[in-house]
Amino acid sequence: MEEREGQRKTKRGVVVSNKMQKTVVVRLERTVHHPIYGKALRQNTKVYAHDESDALQIGDEVVIMETRPLSKLKRWAVVQTPGAEATK
């Protein structure tokens, strides 16, 4: 699922690691079709995202947004967490 907020991409994923300070690893899943056989295949990508609150746990679903480079590998920031969805 990809949406645009201005020119910044947003994606929905699942937290798979939170062992770093203010950083989480998020698994993004996408479906692609095999070019010859047409079978739907699931592919995963792991990205590093900035978590200012440092409160996310493994298994949480989050929405991340593209941002400027924050470190060598970190190019995304968490914009919506499971707790924020429940309060709306």
Side-chain angles (χ1 to χ4, degrees), residues 2-11 64-69 75-77 79:
E2 182 178 320
E3 300 170 7
R4 289 195 175 259
E5 193 173 295
Q7 289 295 90
R8 294 183 181 188
K9 296 176 188 172
T10 61
K11 296 185 183 249
I64 58 175
M65 181 174 61
E66 196 175 38
T67 184
R68 65 182 176 84
R75 307 294 193 261
W76 297 85
V79 293

Side-chain angles (χ1 to χ4, degrees), residues 7-86:
Q7 289 295 90
R8 294 183 181 188
K9 296 176 188 172
T10 61
K11 296 185 183 249
R12 184 177 303 272
V14 178
V15 175
V16 293
S17 174
N18 62 352
K19 296 182 185 292
M20 296 168 274
Q21 296 176 3
K22 296 190 177 185
T23 303
V24 292
V25 181
V26 179
R27 183 183 71 225
L28 304 173
E29 189 173 286
R30 63 191 176 102
T31 305
V32 296
H33 291 279
H34 191 279
I36 296 173
Y37 301 116
K39 180 177 180 175
L41 305 170
R42 284 187 284 177
Q43 292 186 341
N44 296 313
T45 302
K46 291 195 292 185
V47 297
Y48 291 82
H50 183 68
D51 173 27
E52 187 63 38
S53 65
D54 207 17
L56 292 174
Q57 299 298 317
I58 295 173
D60 289 346
E61 283 195 25
V62 294
V63 176
I64 58 175
M65 181 174 61
E66 196 175 38
T67 184
R68 65 182 176 84
L70 300 171
S71 69
K72 181 180 176 181
L73 298 173
K74 201 164 29 166
R75 307 294 193 261
W76 297 85
V78 175
V79 293
Q80 192 174 15
T81 59
E85 291 176 14

